[in-house]
Every structure is written in structure tokens, then in C-alpha cells.
Amino acid sequence: MSDDGFVILPELLPADQLAAVREHADTLLRDVPWSNNDFDGRRTRRVYSLLSRLGPFEPLLTHPSVHGPVAAAIGEVYQFGMLFLSAVDPGQGAQPLHFDAGVYPLPRDVEAETNVIWALDDFTPTNGATLVAPGSHLWPAGRRPQPSELVPVVMPAGSAVVYSGRLWHAAGENRSAATRRALICEHVLPWLRPADNHGLATGVEALRALSPQLRRLAGIAPASTYLGTIAGRDPEEWLSRPPATPSFRSGMDRPSGQTRRGD
Ligand SMILES: O=C(O)CCC(=O)C(=O)O
């Protein structure tokens, strides 16, 4: 991962689990129209904000095999960025090249984001396998990949690729006759604004139903004593009781002497 900027983790899902994941993907994708812009893909169907309808996707979002390399790259504390299902249909051309952390105005040498693409179908050179430019996570700002620097991430269904948010990549062209489905899970540093608005998109009742680990990854846990609290308190406390109780009206509950700047 550190040299190439990505690592392929082959065949993490047993056949029955993969079948359940694919069935759920098809249920979510049913009747979803093609995207209406060139980046998402005019022959690609996407479903975003998945936390309220995870079903069999849940073990993929928390899979220890992917969280090892993610934590090694950005540290132990992080949150989900965008979570989406992508179905690249036949006839879809290659996506514009990009690096995911490009949405943040940070220096190129900061690893702010590390992401995972789960292959729900075999990823082949002809069906839209993600194209990556190995080592491009270390390139300076402004350098863009030439076509000869791109390689397809070929992997069997049930595999995952973990890659740096600084890695130049794109979904490839689908020249095959079948759809290429993927579950894409972004992870960003806890003090960055995630691309998905998880709280609003998921809703309080669905957040309550998630596991504590998923709520942490959804960014519900505070990122520090100040960031992400409700009236100075852990949102877990807020979720577990009515928000209008006196303890919430009474406000801050900080360690004594701590200031906003931490000095
Ligand atoms: O679907 C893929 O292979 C990659 C998609 C992607 O990079 C994106 O939409 O940001």
C-alpha cells in the first residue's frame, strides 16, 4: 500500500455472503436511473447514503481485513466519507481521472482519506475495473497520469481494494455485456466534513438501530472534546434519552481548564 497507494485483498467473502450482498445490491438498484452527469456516469446507476439500508452490506463496512490497512494509513480514528453502490452498465465510458481527497484543500502529502472498493462482480480489464496509477498518491500537486500509467484493478468478486485518497484513479470503460457492481466506502479523518451527510440522511431512529461501531464510523462519536458534541456531551448520550432533559439544557461538560484551542 505505501509504495503503490493501493492493495488488493482477494476473495474476502464466501460465496453465500457474496450472493446475499449482490441480491441486496440489486434490490437497491432496481428502478434507479442512470446518473445525470459525466463524473458519476451517464450509463452508471448509483445509490448513496446507505446507512439506513445496510442489510448484508454491514459486515463489509466493518470488515477487519479492510480496516487494518485503512487504520495503518490514516490512524485509528476516522469516519465514513461517501458510502455508495455503483453499477457500471455496459456502454459506460471511462470515468474522468481524479483522486478522492481532491475535495479537501489539503497539501498533497497529507493522507486524509483512505477508501475501499468492494467488487461485487469480477473486475476485469473490459468490464469497468477501476483504473489506478500506481504510486500516484506520492505525486506532487498538478501531475496527472498519462494513459500508459494506468492499470486495471483486476480482482474476483468478493475482493476489495484499499487505496489512498491521493491515488489517481477512475472507473474503467465497460466494454462487456454485463454490469459491474461495486460497494464503495470512503474513510476520512475525524475532523473533516464527510461527503455524505450521514446524520441527516440516516435519521435518528436508524442511527439508534446501528451498532456502536457503525455509529462511530458514521461520525456520531465526538472527534475530540469539542468536535461533534451536543451541548458539550457525547451524542451517544443524546441518542439514548430525550434531548430536552435538563442535563442537555445545562450545556457544557468539559474537563476543567480545557479551552477551545487546547492551550
Ligand atoms: O467505480 C469505480 O471503480 C471508482 C469510482 C470512483 O472513483 C468515484 O466515483 O469516485
Side-chain angles (χ1 to χ4, degrees), residues 13-242:
L13 305 181
D16 55 343
Q17 190 178 3
L18 178 60
V21 166
R22 285 170 155 172
E23 193 182 325
H24 188 52
D26 284 341
T27 302
L28 293 179
L29 286 162
R30 192 165 303 134
D31 300 328
V32 170
W34 284 323
S35 302
N36 63 356
N37 65 80
D38 290 337
F39 185 82
D40 286 3
R42 295 180 191 274
R43 290 289 177 279
T44 296
R45 289 167 288 144
R46 290 184 167 209
V47 181
Y48 290 98
S49 301
L50 298 170
L51 286 175
S52 61
R53 43 201 170 155
L54 283 179
F57 293 168
E58 175 168 348
L60 282 61
L61 268 62
T62 55
H63 203 293
S65 298
V66 301
H67 283 286
V70 170
I74 52 172
E76 294 291 333
V77 183
Y78 47 84
Q79 60 186 326
F80 288 134
M82 202 178 270
L83 296 175
F84 65 101
L85 188 60
S86 167
V88 177
D89 283 325
Q92 171 66 59
Q95 188 184 34
L97 288 161
H98 61 283
F99 59 97
D100 296 337
V103 294
Y104 297 115
L106 288 167
R108 277 284 295 166
D109 59 356
V110 176
E111 181 73 359
E113 174 163 355
T114 307
N115 299 333
V116 178
I117 298 178
W118 284 92
L120 307 191
D121 296 293
D122 292 345
F123 272 32
T124 74
T126 54
N127 78 346
T130 312
L131 300 170
V132 296
S136 60
H137 62 308
L138 303 177
W139 292 356
R143 178 170 168 193
R144 298 179 65 93
Q146 299 304 310
S148 62
E149 293 175 297
L150 298 171
V151 296
V153 176
V154 173
M155 55 183 175
S159 308
V161 58
V162 182
Y163 64 101
S164 165
R166 293 177 288 159
L167 188 77
W168 282 91
H169 70 281
E173 178 181 0
N174 189 346
R175 299 188 297 277
S176 79
T179 298
R180 187 227 73 177
R181 293 163 295 179
L183 177 66
I184 302 184
C185 310
E186 298 183 343
H187 309 87
V188 301
L189 292 174
W191 41 266
L192 287 172
R193 180 153 198 182
D196 274 357
N197 190 323
H198 297 295
L200 201 53
T202 310
V204 168
E205 285 315 313
L207 284 173
R208 282 195 179 112
L210 292 177
S211 69
Q213 182 188 6
L214 279 173
R215 275 201 297 273
R216 258 197 318 282
L217 287 165
I220 298 307
S224 72
T225 312
Y226 275 91
L227 299 179
T229 55
I230 298 179
R233 292 176 182 273
D234 188 331
E236 281 288 337
E237 217 182 305
W238 188 91
L239 281 173
S240 66
R241 63 170 123 155

